[in-house]
Amino acid sequence: MTTQPAEHALTGVRNFRDVGGLPTNDGRRIRHGVLYRSGHLAHATPEDVAYLSGLGLHTVFDFRNSADQALEGPDAELPGTRNVNIPLTDPAEGADFWRMVRKGDLAQLRTALSDGQAADRMTTSYRTMVLTRTTEHSRVLHALAEDSVPALLHCAAGKDRAGLSVAVTLLAAGVGREAVEADYLESNSPHRRYKVHRAEGAEGGLSPEVLELLAPLFDARPGYLAAAFGAIDERWGGVEAYLTEGLGLTPETRERLRDRLVD
């Protein structure tokens, strides 16, 4: 058994956590203090910055696109830490959709999100990220294997793009799918969840109906991650082939990655 360090609560950063302690298939565990995940750092307070700077981070991987960064702002600067932006979605992808989420009236929300449409959108997004962003995920894993740890991986909410990237990293480090899913679902904890924002004056505001329509977009659901795993199995026949053929990881790179991440 390993002792889980006390979790530090950040004021302006959502969904921050150390991924250390997760079990690998060979009976070891992910090392504490080498792999972190979170939402964006744009609203980090001076106290948050001081804490994050004290972690000795080598690299912050920001998976947001330029539209996200324009909306939320750039990450707070962490002295001595490299910031690498690797967008996992196109800025134009869904820009109108997310504008509707923030500002749309009830009729628009019902038309776009009801009857399972919101969940279907999320499922498709996860499949798409696995199938079309192999270059980006390969870049992250090679960087982690070389010199980029300790590392913090984040997107906007720390749930989807960061969630999938952390999942891929954990699979490459030898963590089983069930443990990967358990970590992914931690994003649903009340103190981690991304706060839903609606424009002032938007019809319905944050009424129960609106929140129900939006819920699939802001939940971490087992079916979303299962869709990504399913895409891996369908395209490559399993995780091992995905890592070697899809992401170009050699046995030597896998071993270096495990040396850096696993106790």
Side-chain angles (χ1 to χ4, degrees):
M1 292 290 290
T2 59
T3 302
Q4 178 71 38
E7 185 173 300
H8 186 87
L10 298 177
T11 302
V13 180
R14 304 291 292 183
N15 206 5
F16 172 82
R17 60 189 184 273
D18 185 343
V19 183
L22 292 176
T24 59
N25 291 323
D26 61 1
R28 297 186 291 169
R29 290 186 180 272
I30 297 297
R31 186 176 295 129
H32 290 291
V34 296
L35 187 63
Y36 300 90
R37 55 179 295 173
S38 75
H40 67 75
L41 310 184
H43 302 155
T45 66
E47 293 76 17
D48 295 338
V49 169
Y51 176 79
L52 293 171
S53 298
L55 296 176
L57 296 172
H58 181 286
T59 303
V60 172
F61 291 95
D62 181 356
F63 300 125
R64 297 179 298 161
N65 59 45
S66 58
D68 298 318
Q69 293 176 335
L71 177 67
E72 297 146 358
D75 278 346
E77 184 175 342
L78 305 181
T81 301
R82 181 178 66 162
N83 192 295
V84 177
N85 180 224
I86 304 179
L88 289 181
T89 52
D90 188 278
E93 181 183 318
D96 290 338
F97 173 84
W98 288 104
R99 193 175 298 112
M100 181 272 298
V101 167
R102 293 192 301 274
K103 301 181 178 180
D105 59 32
L106 277 172
Q108 290 174 306
L109 294 177
R110 289 169 183 152
T111 297
L113 303 175
S114 63
D115 300 322
Q117 293 179 89
D120 288 346
R121 179 185 182 88
M122 296 301 295
T123 299
T124 298
S125 173
Y126 275 64
R127 289 180 58 86
T128 300
M129 277 194 286
V130 163
L131 296 173
T132 67
R133 298 290 176 166
T134 50
T135 298
E136 290 84 349
H137 285 131
S138 175
R139 181 181 169 191
V140 171
L141 292 182
H142 279 89
L144 293 174
E146 291 304 323
D147 63 357
S148 296
V149 295
L152 170 63
L153 280 58
H154 83 78
C155 51
K159 173 178 75 76
D160 302 313
R161 289 166 289 186
L164 187 55
S165 295
V166 169
V168 169
T169 301
L170 292 173
L171 291 174
V175 177
R177 294 189 185 194
E178 288 187 6
V180 171
E181 181 185 280
D183 172 70
Y184 167 75
L185 293 176
E186 280 293 316
S187 293
N188 287 327
S189 300
H191 67 292
R192 302 190 194 282
R193 290 182 67 91
Y194 189 75
K195 292 183 177 179
V196 180
H197 296 285
R198 291 267 287 154
E200 187 175 350
E203 182 187 352
L206 291 174
S207 68
E209 181 183 1
V210 169
L211 290 175
E212 183 178 355
L213 287 166
L214 296 180
L217 305 176
F218 296 94
D219 289 346
R221 297 189 174 183
Y224 302 162
L225 196 60
F229 290 160
I232 287 173
D233 293 339
E234 292 162 19
R235 173 68 63 86
W236 292 281
V239 169
E240 290 302 313
Y242 165 64
L243 294 171
T244 57
E245 299 168 19
L247 303 188
L249 293 185
T250 64
E252 294 76 18
T253 301
R254 290 278 300 279
E255 192 58 36
R256 284 200 303 273
L257 182 69
R258 286 173 172 158
D259 285 345
R260 292 190 180 278
L261 298 182
V262 179
D263 274 333

